[in-house]
Each structure stands twice: as structure tokens, then as C-alpha cells.
Amino acid sequence: MLDWDDLRFFLTLARHGTLSAAAKVLHVSQSTVGRRLNSLETALAVRLLNRTPDGYVLTLAGEEVRRKAEHLEAEALALERDVTGRDTRLRGLVRVTCAETLAAHILAPSFAKLHASHPDIMIELIPNPRELSLAMREADIALRMRQPEQHDLVVRRIGNIAFGIYATPDYLRDQGALDFEAGCAGHHLITQLDDTQEMTQSAWLTDLASRATVVLQTSSHEAAALAAASGGGLACLACFRGDGEPRLTRVPAPTAPPSADILLLVHRDNRDTPRIRVVLTHITDTIHELAAILQPGDGVGSDARAAG
């Protein structure tokens, strides 16, 4: 008899391609993912995934099993959402996913207030640059800075994030004045990888400082902020993060960096579940209350921090 959990682990590994990525999504060890795959392949007496230098790739048999397993998964998730939607209790787990810096500096501090009002609601906060699937119940609520590709989602714009160029005063003194007309030759850039939500702002910075050298790329906004704060170079950061870092100063630029909308996402089948509705409202209120910090004025350095 097939074990549904084995199929679930197989699907996650097939979607994400590596044991480490699948283990992170499933909140288990890599060895557990490998053991579940071996269990399923043994039960079916067929190889489902081939391991390559670039990750796991489906075999022909794996493609067929994946198609049928995804059908079973869709039915199970639809049933789960239907049952969950009838739960009228203000208690239980709500999974929230967003970018790392939003999680650490905006949402995590706010959840103490939520817990005081609703002590039986438990939040699982999942900082992840990858877009977790709400349809597959990897999360219940998502905050994102670009439009989703998933269907069956309710999307609401609840705020906006301003960005700026940041560096340490020592870096600016040692590397010399920023000459944007000359492409900032001789300067160092810290940028985001192309698959992250802040890639639009990184592309703007690399175009503006076209003769500067990219010395660090990262999928973590927080890593970029800390690298800049350690004197590593120029970074385009969310103003609420850059202005709040005492080691950084905001640098005037000839044009404003592109801002980013804050989008609140929930699966349409879950939006009226009471505990999820409470968390949606709390997140919306939090973002509205912090609007002046998320979208500060055009001041530079300590003046910008005072405004925030």
C-alpha cells in the first residue's frame, strides 16, 4: 500500500530539485526526504528521480507518478480548504511567508500585539525569497512585492516600500565621491540575485552605476544590508531597513529608485476562515500604521532616520 506522505515528499522534491530545498519546505532533514523517496521507489519497484549535478530530474515513470499524485494532492487540498473554511474558532496555526527583512523588522515585532488579543492563534513566520505556494498549503498568507503567478488567489495592495542607495561614511570617504554621470567607476556594488523580489531595484542600481564592480550578489536583503553596513560597498535597500541601520547613510541619487508595492495574498478558499481573517487584518493594520517608515521622505543620513 502506498503511503501518501511518501508521495507528498516525492512531489516536493520533484518541484524543488534538491534534497536541501525540499527539506526546507517540509521542515525535515535531508536524510528524511531521501528515505521517503527510497520508500516510494521501493513500493513501486521503479526509479522516479535521477540525481544529476544540477539536482533531481524526473524519469518517464516519475512524470506519470507526478501527474497522478498532483491530482490526488489537488483533491486532498480542496477537501482540507473546505473543512478549514468552516472552522469558526479563533485558534490554531496560521502560516505567513514573506521576504526576510519584512519578517524580521516589520511582522515579527508586530505579532506580540496579535498574541495579546488572540492568544490561541499561533503564527508560523516563514521568511523565504522563494514564493511558497498558497494553493499547496505551504503557507496560508503571503506578503510579496510582485504580482503572483499562482491562480485562485485574492491579492490586495496594502502599502508601498521606498528604496535608497546606502553605504557607510567610511566607505564613501575611502572610495571617493559618487560620480553617477561617469557610472561610479571605482565603486563596489552589493546586489540581489535575479530570482529575488528586489531584483528590480538591483537592476536600477547596476544601470545607474554602470562602471562600478559588483562584489557581492545575494538572495538575502538582510545579508545585503549587513554587507553594506560593514563597508562592503553600495546597496539599494528598503529605506525602513537602511535608515534604521546606524552604520549606514542614504546617498542622494539623480533619480529615485523604483519603489515596490506590498501585496497581501491569501487563497480564495481560506480568506473567510476566522483565524486567517484576523491575521490578514492585523498585517494590514500593521503596514498602514508603519506607512511613514516604509515610505519616508527624501532626507539623507541621520535626517532620514529621524523622519523614520
Side-chain angles (χ1 to χ4, degrees), residues 19-42:
L19 290 174
S20 59
K24 185 176 294 186
V25 171
L26 293 164
H27 305 290
V28 298
S29 67
Q30 295 183 39
S31 61
T32 298
V33 178
R35 186 168 62 252
R36 288 288 192 171
L37 174 63
N38 290 336
S39 173
L40 181 60
E41 289 182 333
T42 300

Side-chain angles (χ1 to χ4, degrees), residues 124-204:
E124 186 174 290
L125 183 57
I126 311 169
N128 202 317
R130 188 182 65 81
E131 296 185 355
L132 300 184
S133 173
L134 302 187
M136 299 301 175
R137 292 300 303 275
E138 292 178 342
D140 301 305
I141 297 170
L143 272 186
R144 294 182 187 154
M145 288 179 279
R146 60 186 178 192
Q147 285 289 337
E149 297 180 357
Q150 296 172 223
H151 302 293
D152 299 329
L153 301 182
V154 178
V155 181
R156 181 185 174 196
R157 179 187 178 279
I158 61 172
N160 190 263
I161 298 176
F163 286 77
I165 301 175
Y166 290 87
T168 63
D170 287 347
Y171 168 85
L172 295 171
R173 183 185 62 249
D174 294 342
Q175 296 299 123
L178 290 171
D179 186 348
F180 289 105
E181 290 188 1
C184 298
H187 280 274
H188 302 154
L189 302 184
I190 299 164
T191 64
Q192 301 285 312
L193 293 170
D194 287 345
D195 62 347
T196 57
Q197 297 186 55
E198 296 91 355
M199 64 183 183
T200 300
Q201 289 72 33
S202 280
W204 171 86

